[in-house]
Amino acid sequence: MTTVTDPRAVVIRYVEAVRDGDADVVHDSFAEDATWHYPGDLPISKVWHGRDRIIGEFLGSMGPILVPGTLEIELISTIAEGDRVVAEWTSRARTVYGGVYDNRCLGIYTVRDGKITSVVEYADTQHVAAVLFPEHDAR
């Protein structure tokens, strides 16, 4: 596997791997002790600790909710300064509940030694709740 260390290139490679379903590159993109913070009041809202939990429990929790083969991810832009990269993307998919997920997201990534060490993701959580978690008790 090619080693990529430029922070912007690491983030672009990761987003493209998610888009393309390349599990090996997704796994290789994260430091073992990485964190992912998803703010809000949803079943997925918290700070996820560790590459395996981020991939298996946070990212992996979307699999049963989305209709296989319908996920489309488009990277809109990136801005990089030092080890921090801001990436903006859209995610679209049909859900098993019959709805269409269509959200514009933003992530602030920290990359060190060619690995993502932390992410804070922002999205329209009201849309996430309505479409991906329709039975979630909104407060």
Side-chain angles (χ1 to χ4, degrees), residues 93-109:
R94 286 189 328 216
T95 75
V96 297
Y97 305 112
V100 175
Y101 179 69
D102 187 353
N103 210 344
R104 194 147 194 168
C105 308
L106 184 126
I108 302 171
Y109 295 78

mmCIF file of all heavy atoms in Angstrom, residues 93-109:
data_model
loop_
_atom_site.group_PDB
_atom_site.id
_atom_site.type_symbol
_atom_site.label_atom_id
_atom_site.label_comp_id
_atom_site.label_asym_id
_atom_site.label_seq_id
_atom_site.Cartn_x
_atom_site.Cartn_y
_atom_site.Cartn_z
ATOM 1 N N ALA A 93 -28.079 8.564 -0.135
ATOM 2 C CA ALA A 93 -28.411 7.145 -0.184
ATOM 3 C C ALA A 93 -29.900 6.972 0.077
ATOM 4 O O ALA A 93 -30.546 7.848 0.652
ATOM 5 C CB ALA A 93 -27.620 6.359 0.857
ATOM 6 N N ARG A 94 -30.420 5.838 -0.336
ATOM 7 C CA ARG A 94 -31.782 5.462 0.058
ATOM 8 C C ARG A 94 -31.671 4.700 1.370
ATOM 9 O O ARG A 94 -30.695 4.001 1.618
ATOM 10 C CB ARG A 94 -32.422 4.602 -1.015
ATOM 11 C CG ARG A 94 -32.818 5.413 -2.245
ATOM 12 C CD ARG A 94 -33.632 4.582 -3.194
ATOM 13 N NE ARG A 94 -33.163 3.201 -3.086
ATOM 14 C CZ ARG A 94 -33.081 2.343 -4.074
ATOM 15 N NH1 ARG A 94 -33.477 2.655 -5.250
ATOM 16 N NH2 ARG A 94 -32.632 1.122 -3.898
ATOM 17 N N THR A 95 -32.692 4.822 2.195
ATOM 18 C CA THR A 95 -32.674 4.139 3.484
ATOM 19 C C THR A 95 -33.663 2.976 3.484
ATOM 20 O O THR A 95 -34.588 2.928 2.670
ATOM 21 C CB THR A 95 -33.049 5.095 4.636
ATOM 22 O OG1 THR A 95 -34.457 5.339 4.603
ATOM 23 C CG2 THR A 95 -32.279 6.400 4.543
ATOM 24 N N VAL A 96 -33.454 2.069 4.416
ATOM 25 C CA VAL A 96 -34.354 0.924 4.540
ATOM 26 C C VAL A 96 -35.729 1.350 5.041
ATOM 27 O O VAL A 96 -36.675 0.575 4.979
ATOM 28 C CB VAL A 96 -33.758 -0.167 5.460
ATOM 29 C CG1 VAL A 96 -32.474 -0.735 4.868
ATOM 30 C CG2 VAL A 96 -33.517 0.358 6.873
ATOM 31 N N TYR A 97 -35.849 2.598 5.510
ATOM 32 C CA TYR A 97 -37.132 3.121 5.970
ATOM 33 C C TYR A 97 -37.927 3.759 4.835
ATOM 34 O O TYR A 97 -39.011 4.286 5.062
ATOM 35 C CB TYR A 97 -36.918 4.150 7.088
ATOM 36 C CG TYR A 97 -36.106 3.616 8.233
ATOM 37 C CD1 TYR A 97 -34.833 4.103 8.493
ATOM 38 C CD2 TYR A 97 -36.598 2.590 9.049
ATOM 39 C CE1 TYR A 97 -34.080 3.605 9.542
ATOM 40 C CE2 TYR A 97 -35.847 2.084 10.088
ATOM 41 C CZ TYR A 97 -34.589 2.593 10.327
ATOM 42 O OH TYR A 97 -33.845 2.094 11.352
ATOM 43 N N GLY A 98 -37.351 3.764 3.616
ATOM 44 C CA GLY A 98 -38.045 4.309 2.458
ATOM 45 C C GLY A 98 -37.721 5.749 2.144
ATOM 46 O O GLY A 98 -38.226 6.300 1.170
ATOM 47 N N GLY A 99 -36.875 6.377 2.949
ATOM 48 C CA GLY A 99 -36.525 7.767 2.711
ATOM 49 C C GLY A 99 -35.253 7.908 1.893
ATOM 50 O O GLY A 99 -34.594 6.931 1.543
ATOM 51 N N VAL A 100 -34.908 9.163 1.621
ATOM 52 C CA VAL A 100 -33.672 9.478 0.920
ATOM 53 C C VAL A 100 -32.815 10.333 1.844
ATOM 54 O O VAL A 100 -33.257 11.394 2.310
ATOM 55 C CB VAL A 100 -33.942 10.231 -0.398
ATOM 56 C CG1 VAL A 100 -32.624 10.657 -1.043
ATOM 57 C CG2 VAL A 100 -34.747 9.371 -1.351
ATOM 58 N N TYR A 101 -31.627 9.835 2.122
ATOM 59 C CA TYR A 101 -30.659 10.596 2.902
ATOM 60 C C TYR A 101 -29.881 11.458 1.926
ATOM 61 O O TYR A 101 -29.325 10.966 0.948
ATOM 62 C CB TYR A 101 -29.726 9.641 3.651
ATOM 63 C CG TYR A 101 -28.673 10.347 4.467
ATOM 64 C CD1 TYR A 101 -29.022 11.075 5.590
ATOM 65 C CD2 TYR A 101 -27.335 10.283 4.109
ATOM 66 C CE1 TYR A 101 -28.061 11.731 6.345
ATOM 67 C CE2 TYR A 101 -26.364 10.935 4.858
ATOM 68 C CZ TYR A 101 -26.738 11.645 5.972
ATOM 69 O OH TYR A 101 -25.783 12.291 6.717
ATOM 70 N N ASP A 102 -29.847 12.755 2.161
ATOM 71 C CA ASP A 102 -29.134 13.692 1.299
ATOM 72 C C ASP A 102 -28.631 14.803 2.208
ATOM 73 O O ASP A 102 -29.395 15.691 2.578
ATOM 74 C CB ASP A 102 -30.060 14.240 0.214
ATOM 75 C CG ASP A 102 -29.330 15.090 -0.813
ATOM 76 O OD1 ASP A 102 -28.123 15.384 -0.622
ATOM 77 O OD2 ASP A 102 -29.964 15.471 -1.804
ATOM 78 N N ASN A 103 -27.359 14.737 2.593
ATOM 79 C CA ASN A 103 -26.839 15.651 3.593
ATOM 80 C C ASN A 103 -25.506 16.226 3.157
ATOM 81 O O ASN A 103 -24.705 15.536 2.533
ATOM 82 C CB ASN A 103 -26.669 14.917 4.931
ATOM 83 C CG ASN A 103 -26.840 15.820 6.125
ATOM 84 O OD1 ASN A 103 -26.810 17.036 6.028
ATOM 85 N ND2 ASN A 103 -27.021 15.207 7.283
ATOM 86 N N ARG A 104 -25.294 17.474 3.484
ATOM 87 C CA ARG A 104 -24.001 18.116 3.271
ATOM 88 C C ARG A 104 -23.288 18.108 4.612
ATOM 89 O O ARG A 104 -23.855 18.542 5.615
ATOM 90 C CB ARG A 104 -24.194 19.539 2.781
ATOM 91 C CG ARG A 104 -22.925 20.118 2.238
ATOM 92 C CD ARG A 104 -23.267 21.062 1.128
ATOM 93 N NE ARG A 104 -22.081 21.396 0.358
ATOM 94 C CZ ARG A 104 -22.156 22.009 -0.780
ATOM 95 N NH1 ARG A 104 -23.321 22.329 -1.296
ATOM 96 N NH2 ARG A 104 -21.070 22.320 -1.426
ATOM 97 N N CYS A 105 -22.068 17.597 4.608
ATOM 98 C CA CYS A 105 -21.330 17.394 5.853
ATOM 99 C C CYS A 105 -19.998 18.128 5.812
ATOM 100 O O CYS A 105 -19.469 18.426 4.740
ATOM 101 C CB CYS A 105 -21.067 15.910 6.064
ATOM 102 S SG CYS A 105 -22.538 14.875 5.947
ATOM 103 N N LEU A 106 -19.465 18.378 6.993
ATOM 104 C CA LEU A 106 -18.169 19.015 7.122
ATOM 105 C C LEU A 106 -17.413 18.308 8.228
ATOM 106 O O LEU A 106 -17.974 18.039 9.296
ATOM 107 C CB LEU A 106 -18.347 20.495 7.470
ATOM 108 C CG LEU A 106 -17.052 21.272 7.544
ATOM 109 C CD1 LEU A 106 -17.125 22.490 6.651
ATOM 110 C CD2 LEU A 106 -16.741 21.656 8.966
ATOM 111 N N GLY A 107 -16.161 17.983 7.972
ATOM 112 C CA GLY A 107 -15.326 17.348 8.981
ATOM 113 C C GLY A 107 -14.041 18.118 9.159
ATOM 114 O O GLY A 107 -13.445 18.594 8.183
ATOM 115 N N ILE A 108 -13.637 18.257 10.410
ATOM 116 C CA ILE A 108 -12.336 18.842 10.720
ATOM 117 C C ILE A 108 -11.444 17.682 11.137
ATOM 118 O O ILE A 108 -11.679 17.039 12.165
ATOM 119 C CB ILE A 108 -12.440 19.898 11.830
ATOM 120 C CG1 ILE A 108 -13.414 21.003 11.416
ATOM 121 C CG2 ILE A 108 -11.059 20.460 12.158
ATOM 122 C CD1 ILE A 108 -13.753 21.969 12.521
ATOM 123 N N TYR A 109 -10.457 17.397 10.298
ATOM 124 C CA TYR A 109 -9.563 16.262 10.485
ATOM 125 C C TYR A 109 -8.208 16.747 10.987
ATOM 126 O O TYR A 109 -7.697 17.757 10.505
ATOM 127 C CB TYR A 109 -9.322 15.539 9.154
ATOM 128 C CG TYR A 109 -10.535 14.884 8.563
ATOM 129 C CD1 TYR A 109 -11.508 15.630 7.899
ATOM 130 C CD2 TYR A 109 -10.714 13.504 8.651
ATOM 131 C CE1 TYR A 109 -12.619 15.027 7.341
ATOM 132 C CE2 TYR A 109 -11.832 12.893 8.096
ATOM 133 C CZ TYR A 109 -12.774 13.662 7.448
ATOM 134 O OH TYR A 109 -13.870 13.064 6.900
#
